[in-house]
Amino acid sequence: MAGLSLYFEDSHDDLDDFGFDDYGSECDGIRITAFLDAGQDNLTPLGRLEKYAFSENVFNRQIVARGLLDVLREFSDNENDFISVMETVARMSEDGEPTVRAELMEQVPNIAMFLHESQPNFPAAFSRYLVPIVVHYLTDPNNQVRKTSQAALLVLLEQGLICKGDMETKVCPVLLDLTEPSSDDDYKIEAVAIMCKLVTMLSKETVEQLLQRFCELCSDARLFQVRKVCAANFGEFCSIVGRDATEKLLMSKFFDLCSDSLWGIRKACADCFMIVSNSTSPEVRRTKLSPLFSSLISDQSRWVRQAAFQSLGRFISTFANPSSTGLYFKEDGTLLEVPTCPSDRLGHKHKPAAKHTHCHRTTLASSPHSPTLSHLLPHVDIFPDIESSSTNQNFNSFLYWRPPLVDISQELEMLKGQGPLTRTEGEKEEEVVVSSLDPATCFQIQKVLDCLQPHMDDPDVQAQVQVLSAALKAAQLESQSEEEGQSESQSEEEGGSESQTPEGGEPDEESSQNRVETQTPDLNHSCPLPPSLLQNVIPQQLLDQYLSMTDPAQAQTVDTEIAKHCAFSLPGVALTLGRQNWHCLKDTYETLATDVQWKVRRTLAFSIHDLALILGDQLTAADLVPIFNGFLKDLDEVRIGVLKHLYDFLKLLHAENRREYLYQLQEFMVTDNSRNWRFRYQLAEQLILIMELYSHDDVYNYLRQIALTLCSDKVSEVRWISYQLVVEILRKMYACGAHELGLNFSNELIVRFCHCPKWVGRQAFAFICQAIVEEDCMPMDQFAQHLLPSLLSLSLDPVANVRVLVAKALRQSVMEKGKDWALLSTQEYGSCMRCFMLLRKSRME
């Protein structure tokens, strides 16, 4: 121990020799600016700064660089002294020791923030003295100094501490010089990386200055690291420069990068494919990017295929069209339902639509790969409300135009033959070009029509039914024509009887229908209906590739978690296809819901409320409610996904379906692990929201017992949120006029908590009373009559913790509210005052 003491004494003496007199054996006692204090040298503080800033001892110079912020604060009262310090800093930046330069650069962001706050006193000081240092260090020969300057530059941009003029006149020219073909390889790679990171923080005009150089770097044949950095940040450039520049300048470079010889570059392209697609026109997206993405899906490298499948759902989401999906995103991230009306522009008389349009708000979650369409994220929260819309007399009695019918031109081109079909609607006639379909296909079309019949009140479903009915009717008519032609030909050869065609040359529709049904083969031996006949929103190849993600063979050859990625992006794909094409995804969704991996089911559980909003109430009740019920009985890891958005899902159901879940809420109290208190905390949060969906009788009969149980939980966080739940239950009772139920609940609180043998229960009663008064959930006279006497009785509680909380409730809530509102009688207020003084006296003793 004596040796250790001697060591500290010697160490302290050495520091004295260097001028750091306040350095002691304890690190907390160190003051970096101690060298500015008066010593034996009789120098001014500025002179002492000069002495140690340019000392021959490297340690002295490092300490000065590390304490620059404190030094500036010491001299911030005098402008001349401050300018002298800044000039000293500028000279220190030329220090030959790399560690000193690195220390100096680490302090630049903090100094910039200080100067930003003191900008009225020191205008343009940062731009004049420190920005040149940051730019100069980007070309420093030492790697550590360069990395430090790059990090400092990013921080300055993120905090908005560097002006646009400095970026354009000082930073960008240096980056352009470092990315010249003749530049050093290390400098070029670092400059490309910093350039790509700066793109998201710069204005569009500044990025356009770097665009031409970025295009050249994408084709750098000598350094694959440069091409890889460009590929990884390609999407950011596209999103900043806009559609025109993307299609004219960047698209050809992107094609080259997607076919690069190195798999790492192709993988980087697959990762950013969605952002690139979102920056192009729908035509380019369908005709050029879709085949390009298919080539990445079938790439020879497994890592490229894996990245492509992970981005497939996000890429499909870029095909979303509000006119067909019925939902669209505003610039502020709000998800709105497109107003629709079954009327059309021809003025046909239809039944008016509902007089309200639903508006759904979505909270976006940010992530490095967040898609523009936030429905791809399973953890988003959607809160619908209703906006009343006013009737515009210019549109007769209808509120909005109807959405356009689905375009089936591509499907019609695939048909083999062409024949005219006249469809009459009122006094209008349209000629629809159709072709013959095989009987198996006709049978499948009829099956789909039968499935869509229960949902005919949906305009999108109506449009789809019209398309399929026209195709089926055309196939039936042409089938009859072919049969009659064959019959006629056979009759002429055999000299047979006359044709059975009725007068006027029109075939008998009923007999044609019978013939088609007679020729319908067995379903088990029929060919499946081509999905292209049912959806034309996205290229069919993309949909087929997405549906193949549930194939077990893909998990073995591509990615073991490919099913999880499929489940993650399914809400986005469903929104893109629209509810009228839900049958394309229904089987895939059911397959994922029964996947053996709980992570897949958990992903679906977190996003089932989003899917319910997309599909509407009827499809939700038919297809999602059974899966939702299965998730309720699943593992806790899956149930928590349902529980977190229980309110969001239940509010989309009809009242009779919603009420069935009242009996199951109690099951959430049972978990696989009793120590999983966050599960119970989440339940209390959801019950507070769910309360508005049920009547006061249901709340009293079903939610009351859960709330009382949660108020006695072992974990304080659960108890705190449960007190708020109790408050909301009382608010519901009194707001609905159920004063008798409110009184019964208050009496139950008294029996269960005020008279609890454990002091924690009595403490909980004080908490509840304080929350009731502060939240105004019940009339003050009712509180004073039923709960206040029990609260005052706890002022004599033998446990000090209970008495303290009673005093707090009286002083901060009861007495203040009663005095301000004059709702407490003189006798009641006097009782509160006496109890409070008694508690105060006992505490002082």
Side-chain angles (χ1 to χ4, degrees), residues 166-178:
D166 288 338
M167 285 300 304
E168 294 178 350
T169 60
K170 297 178 181 179
V171 179
C172 289
V174 174
L175 294 178
L176 292 174
D177 292 339
L178 293 177

Side-chain angles (χ1 to χ4, degrees), residues 659-677:
R659 198 171 186 277
E660 297 176 359
Y661 291 97
L662 278 172
Y663 310 95
Q664 304 183 41
L665 293 176
Q666 186 71 33
E667 298 178 4
F668 283 110
M669 296 292 295
V670 181
T671 57
D672 298 338
N673 186 357
S674 59
R675 291 179 293 180
N676 188 7
W677 62 269

Side-chain angles (χ1 to χ4, degrees), residues 465-598:
V465 169
Q466 293 177 10
V467 174
L468 296 177
S469 299
L472 181 61
K473 186 175 181 181
Q476 294 169 357
L477 293 178
E478 186 162 345
S479 175
Q480 180 199 6
S481 300
E482 291 179 357
E483 290 180 7
E484 291 177 354
Q486 294 177 0
S487 176
E488 251 182 64
S489 171
Q490 186 176 2
S491 299
E492 290 177 359
E493 291 177 359
E494 299 177 358
S497 59
E498 298 179 355
S499 172
Q500 300 299 320
T501 304
E503 292 182 5
E506 293 291 337
D508 186 358
E509 185 175 346
E510 183 176 356
S511 62
S512 174
Q513 175 70 26
N514 293 336
R515 275 190 290 272
V516 172
E517 292 178 356
T518 303
Q519 297 177 7
T520 300
D522 187 1
L523 178 60
N524 295 331
H525 301 285
S526 62
C527 298
L529 178 66
S532 59
L533 292 174
L534 302 181
Q535 71 87 22
N536 65 336
V537 179
I538 64 176
Q540 184 59 36
Q541 188 176 7
L542 292 180
L543 181 59
D544 294 341
Q545 291 164 345
Y546 178 79
L547 298 180
S548 70
M549 294 177 71
T550 56
D551 188 354
Q554 297 282 25
Q556 297 177 1
T557 59
V558 179
D559 186 3
T560 56
E561 294 190 350
I562 190 172
K564 180 182 177 182
H565 296 299
C566 180
F568 177 81
S569 57
L570 195 140
V573 177
L575 178 58
T576 303
L577 294 176
R579 65 184 64 170
Q580 70 274 14
N581 293 314
W582 167 241
H583 53 271
C584 298
L585 299 174
K586 180 181 177 182
D587 293 341
T588 300
Y589 190 78
E590 293 176 351
T591 301
L592 293 172
T594 57
D595 196 279
V596 295
Q597 300 182 66
W598 64 265

Side-chain angles (χ1 to χ4, degrees), residues 20 22-23 27-37 74:
F20 301 101
D22 289 354
Y23 274 58
C27 293
D28 294 339
I30 294 177
R31 185 166 64 89
I32 297 180
T33 57
F35 62 89
L36 297 177
D37 297 340
E74 292 282 344

Side-chain angles (χ1 to χ4, degrees), residues 277-347:
S277 175
N278 207 47
S279 304
T280 60
S281 62
E283 181 181 1
V284 173
R285 188 177 303 134
R286 180 179 290 271
T287 59
K288 296 183 179 180
L289 291 182
S290 180
L292 180 63
F293 191 85
S294 297
S295 66
L296 295 176
I297 285 281
S298 57
D299 194 272
Q300 60 182 357
S301 172
R302 177 175 180 174
W303 306 111
V304 178
R305 297 197 304 272
Q306 179 178 334
F309 272 110
Q310 292 179 11
S311 300
L312 177 57
R314 296 196 292 266
F315 176 50
I316 291 177
S317 70
T318 61
F319 289 85
N321 185 2
S323 63
S324 60
T325 62
L327 300 168
Y328 70 97
F329 280 89
K330 294 177 64 178
E331 293 181 357
D332 59 356
T334 303
L335 180 64
L336 298 177
E337 185 173 353
V338 177
T340 60
C341 180
S343 62
D344 56 20
R345 303 194 181 201
L346 298 178

Side-chain angles (χ1 to χ4, degrees), residues 60-69 92 100 103-104 107:
N60 283 350
R61 305 202 301 273
Q62 289 178 352
I63 290 297
V64 173
R66 190 177 304 170
L68 275 179
L69 180 60
M92 281 187 64
V100 176
E103 289 282 0
L104 174 62
Q107 300 302 317

Side-chain angles (χ1 to χ4, degrees), residues 67-113:
L68 275 179
L69 180 60
D70 294 330
V71 171
L72 287 173
R73 287 173 176 163
E74 292 282 344
F75 294 98
S76 60
D77 296 334
N78 189 291
E79 184 174 355
N80 293 330
D81 292 344
F82 181 83
I83 296 300
S84 299
V85 174
M86 294 301 295
E87 291 176 350
T88 302
V89 172
R91 284 187 291 147
M92 281 187 64
S93 65
E94 301 174 359
D95 196 290
E97 177 60 36
T99 57
V100 176
R101 301 198 300 273
E103 289 282 0
L104 174 62
M105 186 51 56
E106 287 183 357
Q107 300 302 317
V108 166
N110 297 328
I111 296 175
M113 181 62 70

